[in-house]
Amino acid sequence: MQTADPDSLGFVPERLAHIPQFLRERYLDSGRLKGFQLLIGREDEVAHFSSHGKMYEEDDRELPDDAIFR
């Protein structure tokens, strides 16, 4: 997935960088979620996309960027 320059979309890149770490600490490290994907954008442009965590609890595979969720 191609991302646009966050500055050009009105986002502060340094602040965007803090969001995945916060979610990782709050949800993955506490065990509330096994994995999550984060997409932040404006209109049709993507400023940030990242995948975190595992596919399955019993499997050590990382969550791929093209994972499909129900």
Side-chain angles (χ1 to χ4, degrees):
M1 175 176 298
Q2 187 168 337
T3 60
D5 177 38
D7 282 324
S8 69
L9 298 176
F11 293 101
V12 179
E14 294 79 21
R15 295 190 75 184
L16 283 179
H18 291 288
I19 297 170
Q21 182 60 33
F22 170 79
L23 293 174
R24 179 176 286 281
E25 290 171 3
R26 177 70 56 98
Y27 295 100
L28 290 182
D29 295 346
S30 70
R32 294 172 81 180
L33 292 175
K34 293 178 283 195
F36 68 89
Q37 289 182 328
L38 177 64
L39 186 143
I40 300 170
R42 181 159 285 139
E43 296 182 15
D44 292 337
E45 299 289 328
V46 176
H48 173 88
F49 177 80
S50 58
S51 296
H52 305 272
K54 305 288 182 193
M55 253 319 253
Y56 301 102
E57 196 168 321
E58 63 277 352
D59 193 344
D60 279 344
R61 288 183 293 161
E62 293 292 319
L63 183 64
D65 287 347
D66 63 352
I68 298 174
F69 295 89
R70 189 182 276 216

